[in-house]
Amino acid sequence: MTTLVLVLGDQLSLSLSSLRAADPASAIVLMVEVAEEASYVRHHRRKLAYILSAMRHHAEALRDAGWTVDYVPLEAAHGPASFTGEVAAAVERHKPDRLLVTEAGEWRVQAMLESWQTLFGVPVEILTDDRFIASHADFHSWANGRSDLVMEYFYREQRVRTGLLLTDGGKPEGGRWNYDKENRKPAESDLFMPEPPCFPADAITREFIALVQRRFQDLLGDLDEWDLAVTRGDALTAQAAFLDQALCSFGDYQDAMVSGAHRMWHSHLSPYLNSGLLDPLELYREFEARYRAGTVPLNCAEGFIRQIIGWREYMRGIYWLAGPDYVDRNFFGSTRGLPSFYWTGETDMNCMAQVLEQTWRYAYAHHIQRLMVTGNFALLIGADPNAVHLWYMEVYLDAYEWVTLPNTLGMSQFGDGGLVGTKPYVSTGQYINRMSDYCGGCRYDVKQRVGPDACPFNSLYWDFLARNRDKLGANRRMRNAYASWDRFGVDTQEKVRAKAAEVIAGLDEAPYGPGPGDQG
Ligand code: FAD
Ligand code: DLZ
Ligand code: SF4
């Protein structure tokens, strides 16, 4: 009896549920590099090289662990260059009695897996992805009957379920569930920042860097300064370095932004977690052990654990709960395309220029940079949430639809009208000024609302409130903001809105062209 086990490019774990259900003596593991996955979105070139190299390394790790691997490289595609085309060809080659696969991370691919039993006439077993604590069923039952899906309550249940940072009596360590208030300090550029390990490109990675440069010339993003882990061993080194060097300050500075500093105290582990090189469950246990050993303060341990067992799992739950049509939701009916400086980085707004530069250079920006700089600006100008989502899918190394969509369309753009967030994440330049050193180096004046030197975020913020009053006016969390707006008086309001109209009129709209140029 031959079992064919398909391992997808974001399932790079030796303890995947599909592998655990198979016997290395009678199974063939199939891994396929497919053009469709490389081009369903215009990936940052660094992301493409990362995934392909990590896949190729994972195939080696599988062979070392005793598995027989049928690995199909991009250049050796059999027929239609898609998962379905490649699996059809592999079924023909190996004539398996059954096909095993761990559920996919997104609706598009899950629909493919579900079509295969009928299509190929072979039993297809789709297994739960237990790299997450909450299964789809768990999240559904948590959400069922609730009017507000507030993350904080989901997070508390996850703490109880895992026992993480709980006392023996089942209470939160330190007596509180949440230390967020202590975690919002700005940072100075002269603070000591840890130097995480770099992993120079080996021969396989260099091969993919060359392939991406040759075959995907239309894609954007730097491939220089390669520092990414592409094996589990190196990803574990990165994880240990974060836990040893940065975790103790993570909580304090997780919202801070400093010019030219893209790493700061963030973990940079999301690409490894999302592709499978790192196991979140292992990570939780590792850093709880450090907290118990007294090497990490409680606010940092709690701040980080909330990101992983709270936000990460919550976003996945929302994605699968909301359904395949979630991507079309557009609460404000916004239609603008993003300005072309999202791709070129050419703007006088220093905050945007800083975040865009590091984004195209490293395929990385931290949460507040994504939410309160690029996301904030897009929402304020009335950009189409789907176009915004696509841009984030393009630019970040950790982008996979299950996690990007609820963060972009939901949290950042309020496109779901409040399923993820209770109010839109919008701000004037004052917030950016408080949390960063960007404004000091900007051609605009963060204190001004109108006039040629006024920070664009200021007029845009108030104009956003005014033009969406019918949709947001009744929101209790917006009450103070509207009360402030009303105190401006009609004359000032008109000037501010005229300034916002001038800012928006000065923006171009980048057309969304065809997919990336796969030069074949
Ligand atoms: P750290 O700051 O070190 O945080 C630790 C970990 O917590 C991350 O590695 C991540 O696994 C998890 N985490 C924290 N917040 C979230 C969250 N909101 N959703 C999911 N996981 C979270 N994260 C992605 O993994 N992929 C995306 O495509 C993505 N797109 C985003 C788009 C927008 C507009 C916003 C506002 C956030 C997005 N995030 C995304 C969430 C978050 O910004 C990244 O997880 C984080 O910046 C990754 O960097 P890090 O590993 O250094 O994270
Ligand atoms: C993102 C990606 C890319 C670029 N290439 C491949 C690939 O060639 N083969 C593969 O198995 N997976 C790839 N992936 C990851 C898939 O897109 C991901 O597994 C699906 O989006 C399912 O979540
Ligand atoms: Fe950004 Fe405004 Fe500050 Fe300039 S002044 S960096 S545009 S927030």
Side-chain angles (χ1 to χ4, degrees), residues 59-262:
E60 283 183 5
L62 283 164
R63 289 191 184 106
D64 291 346
W67 294 92
T68 304
V69 182
D70 179 3
Y71 192 94
V72 183
L74 206 56
E75 300 85 352
H78 306 87
S82 65
F83 282 134
T84 299
E86 285 304 334
V87 173
V91 166
E92 231 2 77
R93 277 199 302 285
H94 301 296
K95 312 255 180 301
D97 302 289
R98 62 173 183 156
L99 180 58
L100 277 183
V101 59
T102 294
E103 64 192 340
E106 61 187 274
W107 289 103
R108 175 184 64 90
V109 181
Q110 184 66 11
M112 291 185 211
L113 309 190
E114 287 171 5
S115 72
W116 289 344
Q117 182 152 317
T118 312
L119 212 57
F120 307 140
V122 174
V124 177
E125 248 177 87
I126 303 174
L127 297 151
T128 299
D129 190 345
D130 53 14
R131 292 175 295 167
F132 295 89
I133 303 169
S135 66
H136 301 328
D138 292 334
F139 195 83
H140 272 75
S141 70
W142 173 77
N144 199 15
R146 284 172 192 264
S147 52
D148 288 328
L149 302 183
V150 178
M151 199 292 289
E152 182 65 27
Y153 297 115
F154 170 75
Y155 164 62
R156 290 179 190 178
E157 279 200 12
Q158 294 276 91
R159 287 270 292 277
V160 173
R161 184 196 286 256
T162 55
L164 282 168
L165 294 184
L166 291 190
T167 62
D168 291 341
K171 299 271 184 255
E173 286 283 350
R176 272 159 55 194
W177 292 102
N178 188 321
Y179 288 80
D180 229 10
K181 285 209 176 70
E182 281 148 52
N183 288 347
R184 292 193 174 139
K185 296 184 190 153
E188 300 298 330
S189 57
D190 58 356
L191 272 173
F192 167 78
M193 292 185 200
E195 259 309 310
C198 289
F199 306 96
D202 66 2
I204 294 178
T205 301
R206 285 199 300 275
E207 190 189 313
F208 281 114
I209 290 175
L211 180 142
V212 169
Q213 278 165 336
R214 187 177 68 246
R215 187 162 163 170
F216 297 94
Q217 288 167 17
D218 289 358
L219 293 187
L220 299 174
D222 281 10
L223 282 160
D224 308 332
E225 301 178 70
W226 188 271
D227 57 359
L228 298 170
V230 287
T231 63
R232 175 166 163 75
D234 284 350
L236 282 170
T237 304
Q239 173 178 301
F242 167 70
L243 294 173
D244 291 340
Q245 298 164 13
L247 179 58
C248 56
S249 293
F250 172 84
D252 287 349
Y253 301 119
Q254 61 179 286
D255 289 2
M257 299 175 277
V258 173
S259 301
H262 78 287

Side-chain angles (χ1 to χ4, degrees), residues 372-496:
M372 297 311 296
V373 180
T374 44
N376 186 9
F377 190 80
L379 180 54
L380 292 179
I381 62 168
D384 174 354
N386 191 264
V388 178
H389 164 61
L390 280 176
W391 183 81
Y392 281 93
M393 282 295 293
E394 280 184 19
V395 299
Y396 292 117
L397 200 62
D398 55 16
Y400 298 87
E401 193 179 80
W402 67 266
V403 58
T404 315
L405 186 64
N407 269 298
T408 52
L409 186 132
M411 180 187 262
S412 163
Q413 299 301 298
F414 207 71
D416 59 16
L419 185 62
V420 167
T422 47
K423 74 178 185 60
Y425 282 96
V426 281
S427 77
T428 61
Q430 289 300 344
Y431 172 84
I432 296 172
N433 193 29
R434 194 163 63 245
M435 296 314 301
S436 78
D437 64 357
Y438 295 153
C439 301
C442 185
R443 156 232 178 302
Y444 296 109
D445 181 348
V446 72
K447 295 200 183 69
Q448 291 187 38
R449 285 192 205 110
V450 293
D453 296 330
C455 164
F457 281 86
N458 293 342
S459 56
L460 288 173
Y461 171 80
W462 295 112
D463 181 63
F464 171 84
L465 290 191
R467 75 173 186 269
N468 291 305
R469 192 159 199 158
D470 58 331
K471 294 218 159 72
L472 298 173
N475 185 322
R476 279 191 308 123
R477 297 197 61 203
M478 302 298 289
R479 207 175 280 161
N480 288 345
Y482 279 109
S484 301
W485 173 241
D486 290 339
R487 282 195 295 273
F488 279 20
V490 175
D491 188 40
T492 307
Q493 285 179 346
E494 276 173 6
K495 285 193 182 118
V496 170

Side-chain angles (χ1 to χ4, degrees), residues 39 41-42 218-219 394 511-517:
S39 55
V41 71
R42 296 182 299 198
D218 289 358
L219 293 187
E394 280 184 19
Y512 252 91

